[in-house]
Amino acid sequence: GVRSARKHIGWYTAGLPGATPFRARMNQASDTAQQHRLVQDYFDTLAHTHATLPARSVAPASTDTAAAA
């Protein structure tokens, strides 16, 4: 539903350009059709203003083989 989508979309857009004002608009959406339009507009704008999206930092996987033994 609408509330679940807000949570997931917030996670997926965290750290992307313009994500904070986008999430504020998303939190005001009252139905899924409006959410869909907002998501489409947000990513269309990103596609037109950024050649590539910035990399998100992700913690590296553990390479400690001693712990696995």
Side-chain angles (χ1 to χ4, degrees):
V2 173
R3 289 181 10 181
S4 180
R6 287 179 186 152
K7 176 177 62 173
H8 288 275
I9 291 166
W11 290 338
Y12 300 147
T13 60
L16 295 177
T20 300
F22 164 70
R23 287 193 308 272
R25 289 189 305 276
M26 180 60 64
N27 288 337
Q28 298 300 313
S30 57
D31 59 55
T32 57
Q34 186 179 13
Q35 286 180 322
H36 185 267
R37 284 189 304 274
L38 289 168
V39 168
Q40 186 70 47
D41 291 347
Y42 174 69
F43 283 101
D44 283 348
T45 299
L46 282 181
H48 287 96
T49 58
H50 295 80
T52 61
L53 293 178
R56 291 173 48 168
S57 61
V58 177
S62 175
T63 58
D64 184 6
T65 56

